[in-house]
Amino acid sequence: MQAVSRARLFAVVAAVGIMPAGMAPAEDAFQSFKQMDSTAKMPKLNAFTPTVGRQAPVAREVTLNAKLTADGQPMQTGLTWRVFSPQPGPDGKLPLVASSEGGGAHFQLTPGAYFVNVAFGRAGVTKRLDVPSDGEFVPQALVLDAGGFVLNAVAGTDQRIPDSKLRFSIYSAEVREDGERGLVMANVKPNTIVRLNAGTYHVVSEYGEVNASVRADIQVEAGKLTEATLQHRAAQITLKLVSQAGGEAVADTAWSVLTAGGDVVAESLSAFTTMVLAEGDYTAVARNKDKIYQREFPVQSGHNADVEVLMKDQQPVAGVDSD
């Protein structure tokens, strides 16, 4: 009789089940979810043998589509879909159940709860999806509330800047407690369509590699593509050390460029050197063999120029070691 009671007690414990220690709820696991690269592939599914006498649940067809705005039309291309199980795996992350790319998506899912994420470039939205075991299941629509912008820049009033010398970084508009902004995208090329969730973004444009940069806050509106052109107050300068005006550049010359306040902003070693500088007054210092030469010059926004330093202008330069 005692053995029977123990057997019944064991059956009750097995039926109730105990959650393993350390297993995080689905909501906690989803907080650590990060959008994966669009090249991610579905994990392999291990074969299994259904329990004898138990009928496997019948998968249902699930149709999903996405819109840029609530009243917009379903998008036909450019989307990346991912479906996750709400139950964390052994690593604490939500397992990927299915994925798709293109426009609308069609999945075969067994009844239950899922998390669905759809991404359009850097824009994305996540929604909980409940698949019923019976009854009508209508197509599900997710609203991205997204738009985008195309960035470009000019020097001066309208001087075109070569794409190779121009790059953009996109930050969130909000400033964090440490005084920094969250980086959204870096090294964005001009004339590139950037897809983002609607909102305000802080854009930094860098022209060249020295000190020419401008900033602007740009608004992204849902369902719209904004073209933004930033204006740099800078120019491209070519420095040459010559024996006479209009002469050939002297080889093996080391260059330093100083601001009006004496700060070094650029250095190079070349017969002639080209750089982009922000508008202002500068001093070019050229060192060739054991001699040092210098010349003050201005930079005017949008006016590219050659600056010649004459060898006859040899003189000691304060703050520069000539040894």
Side-chain angles (χ1 to χ4, degrees):
M1 184 67 177
Q2 184 175 5
V4 174
S5 298
R6 288 179 177 174
R8 288 179 178 174
L9 177 59
F10 178 82
V12 171
V13 172
V16 172
I18 300 177
M19 179 177 289
M23 178 65 77
E27 289 79 4
D28 293 340
F30 193 74
Q31 293 299 322
S32 62
F33 165 72
K34 295 183 178 179
Q35 181 172 310
M36 299 182 296
D37 189 272
S38 59
T39 59
K41 298 180 179 179
M42 291 178 56
K44 295 181 180 179
L45 301 179
N46 296 325
F48 69 95
T49 302
T51 305
V52 177
R54 180 180 298 176
Q55 184 176 2
V58 178
R60 304 199 63 183
E61 182 172 345
V62 176
T63 299
L64 304 169
N65 59 62
K67 306 175 181 180
L68 288 176
T69 61
D71 57 354
Q73 295 297 315
M75 301 177 64
Q76 303 300 317
T77 186
L79 299 174
T80 299
W81 295 90
R82 296 184 180 91
V83 181
F84 296 87
S85 167
Q87 300 301 323
D91 59 357
K93 299 180 181 180
L94 302 184
L96 178 66
V97 176
S99 65
S100 175
E101 294 186 4
H106 301 276
F107 298 111
Q108 294 291 327
L109 301 175
T110 57
Y114 301 89
F115 285 117
V116 177
N117 172 266
V118 58
F120 180 58
R122 292 284 175 154
V125 65
T126 301
K127 176 181 178 180
R128 179 185 172 94
L129 176 68
D130 292 302
V131 180
S133 57
D134 53 25
E136 183 181 7
F137 188 65
V138 299
Q140 303 293 299
L142 281 70
V143 179
L144 286 161
D145 189 30
F149 51 54
V150 176
L151 300 172
N152 212 326
V154 295
T157 305
D158 57 2
Q159 185 185 71
R160 183 182 178 277
I161 298 175
D163 290 354
S164 60
K165 295 185 178 295
L166 191 61
R167 64 186 184 276
F168 300 89
S169 296
I170 303 171
Y171 297 86
S172 61
E174 298 76 20
V175 179
R176 301 183 306 220
E177 292 182 359
D178 60 2
E180 300 294 328
R181 301 176 189 266
L183 178 64
V184 178
M185 294 181 68
N187 294 321
V188 178
K189 298 298 183 181
N191 301 310
T192 300
I193 297 177
V194 180
R195 303 178 179 94
L196 297 165
N197 289 106
T200 301
Y201 296 86
H202 188 75
V203 176
V204 178
S205 174
E206 294 178 275
Y207 175 23
E209 305 291 338
V210 184
N211 63 350
S213 65
V214 292
R215 298 169 176 264
D217 289 333
I218 300 177
Q219 182 75 27
V220 174
E221 298 183 52
K224 295 183 179 180
L225 182 65
T226 301
E227 295 185 4
T229 300
L230 283 68
Q231 185 180 36
H232 279 274
R233 300 193 64 80
Q236 180 172 287
I237 301 299
T238 299
L239 301 174
K240 296 189 295 183
L241 177 64
V242 295
S243 59
Q244 59 183 4
E248 293 292 329
V250 178
D252 301 323
T253 301
W255 292 96
S256 295
V257 177
L258 289 69
T259 64
D263 297 323
V264 177
V265 294
E267 294 180 317
S268 71
L269 179 61
S270 177
F272 59 91
T273 183
T274 299
M275 63 188 69
V276 176
L277 296 172
E279 189 175 56
D281 295 322
Y282 297 87
T283 299
V285 178
R287 177 173 178 171
N288 185 265
K289 297 181 180 180
D290 59 346
K291 296 182 175 59
I292 294 177
Y293 313 88
Q294 77 171 25
R295 174 185 170 181
E296 296 180 353
F297 67 96
V299 173
Q300 297 181 348
S301 177
H303 294 276
N304 298 341
D306 292 342
V307 175
E308 294 183 341
V309 178
L310 298 178
M311 298 185 73
K312 67 179 183 179
D313 294 332
Q314 178 188 355
Q315 55 187 310
V317 180
V320 179
D321 186 3
S322 60
D323 293 334

